[in-house]
Amino acid sequence: SGGSRPREGTTMDDGKANRVREIIDRAEAMEHCAEQVRLAEEAVRLADLHGDIDLGFEARHVVISAAIFSGQDERAIAPFTWCLAQSDRDPERFPGTGFAGRHSLIWKYKWIVGAAEDWPRISLDRLHAMMDDMERRHREHGFSDRSTLKHRLSTAILRGDEQEGRATFRKWRVSSRDALSDCIACDHNQEVAYWTFLGEDERAWETAAPIINGLLSCATVPRLSYAQLLLPLVRLGRLGEAVQCHLKGFRLSARNPRWTKDAAQHMLFLGLTGHHTKALRLLESHLPFPHDPITADRADHFEFFLSARFLMERLTEERKKTIRLRLPECFPVHQPEGKYVIRELEEWFASEASRIAARFDERNRSDAFARRIEANLNLADLVSPYPLRAPRSRRPSPPPDSVDA
């Protein structure tokens, strides 16, 4: 959360300040996880309790980064908004560069807008207002509109708005790169997502060539690319290349339970190709429970529940009635003995996907999520059992050159 409003212009005594700094230091030294977020939020609470705005500002920066990189993005929105207001109010006290400066906030603004896109509690009007504000601030500091255009493109894709998506994509593609732009690998991955959104699977695969061939990479690419290419490759009938993307991407995605969307895409692929046991292991390891009520109903949760519903459908088609799963006790339909009725699980996942879809479609003023559910219900035609063989070559081999959009 953003925390309470501290008393203006005060600082706490040295002993209490040292306590807060110790907590901040402990949080910064931790791996990104829910406990890191909790610890940083405790530092915020103590700083606010004792009215120390400077420490509150510093602690909130830790919350922002911890929340974004631990899969609790929405918990970063309120502390970011607080920090931005403080920087606007007193730019000399919170200067324009460095760890706690305006440029740092400008970079983190991209994270916040991304979090807002995937969280239906943020209204569409507020989301657009955030992007407008980010664009204004970028221009004031001499940066281009490229980062904002990328988020406008992501929002158009999320809303299923092809006309807006095409227009924004053209603007984004010719916009100038600068110090606030995402890396080239991330931008290229966004192009792959764009062509997939339009249903141009062959073009998505060709565009992915520099990524798949190892010419472009970063902290999240090719992991994201491997996952999002799976369904397009199945639709193209290129199951060999899809298997290679799965095997390479699975090793990257399976190790981190926070990467829910990746897991959903791999789980769907495994369901389509008949590897249900491996898909169930992903269901167990990446099921988004326990979830934080603040961060519930995210877009990646929708993806996961939709893929899980399809997997249960495939198990039912095999005439299976029950399965044994190790699911957390907080899972709403948890069974202490670990034995689940498949049909009941399918109904629960379908219900949750529909509930989240309704929230997004209401927020987005569209029916894109409802159409995603309809498409998921018709995936049976794509089922193609296929062996998971290790690739003969080091990488899948798409065409050598990406398509120029």
Side-chain angles (χ1 to χ4, degrees), residues 43-107:
V44 170
R45 186 188 70 80
L46 291 174
D48 287 358
L49 179 65
H50 298 292
D52 194 312
I53 296 177
D54 298 89
L55 274 179
F57 191 87
E58 183 178 343
R60 281 175 172 84
H61 268 275
V62 180
V63 173
I64 294 166
S65 297
I68 291 293
F69 292 106
S70 67
Q72 296 180 288
D73 304 36
E74 293 74 15
R75 296 194 79 89
I77 295 175
F80 174 85
T81 302
W82 186 95
C83 286
L84 196 63
Q86 295 297 329
S87 186
D88 286 343
R89 184 180 303 146
D90 193 348
E92 291 186 5
R93 188 172 180 181
F94 306 109
T97 58
F99 164 71
R102 186 181 294 272
H103 279 74
S104 179
L105 286 171
I106 284 179
W107 181 268

Side-chain angles (χ1 to χ4, degrees), residues 331-366:
F331 181 52
V333 291
H334 176 261
Q335 299 298 319
E337 71 282 5
K339 186 176 182 180
Y340 292 87
V341 177
I342 294 172
R343 182 67 71 182
E344 292 177 358
L345 282 180
E346 180 182 350
E347 291 174 355
W348 188 88
F349 286 125
S351 175
E352 282 298 286
S354 295
R355 183 183 62 79
I356 297 174
R359 294 199 66 179
F360 270 101
D361 282 345
E362 180 181 8
R363 191 281 295 268
N364 293 337
R365 303 169 195 162
S366 73

Side-chain angles (χ1 to χ4, degrees), residues 22-50:
E22 287 175 5
I23 295 174
I24 292 174
D25 290 343
R26 283 171 53 200
E28 288 190 297
M30 295 177 68
E31 294 288 333
H32 297 307
C33 61
E35 177 61 19
Q36 184 193 33
V37 177
R38 187 203 65 77
L39 199 61
E41 288 180 337
E42 174 64 9
V44 170
R45 186 188 70 80
L46 291 174
D48 287 358
L49 179 65
H50 298 292

Side-chain angles (χ1 to χ4, degrees), residues 87-151:
S87 186
D88 286 343
R89 184 180 303 146
D90 193 348
E92 291 186 5
R93 188 172 180 181
F94 306 109
T97 58
F99 164 71
R102 186 181 294 272
H103 279 74
S104 179
L105 286 171
I106 284 179
W107 181 268
K108 290 176 180 177
Y109 213 151
K110 300 190 301 179
W111 302 349
I112 300 305
V113 172
E117 289 170 16
D118 290 338
W119 198 37
R121 294 189 190 186
I122 301 294
S123 72
L124 188 62
D125 289 340
R126 184 182 173 193
L127 176 58
H128 284 308
M130 290 171 70
M131 288 188 283
D132 291 344
D133 183 61
M134 183 171 73
E135 182 176 84
R136 175 183 63 80
R137 293 173 186 273
H138 286 189
R139 288 178 176 179
E140 285 179 354
H141 287 78
F143 297 109
S144 76
D145 295 342
R146 185 174 180 83
S147 294
T148 309
L149 285 168
K150 186 175 180 180
H151 282 289

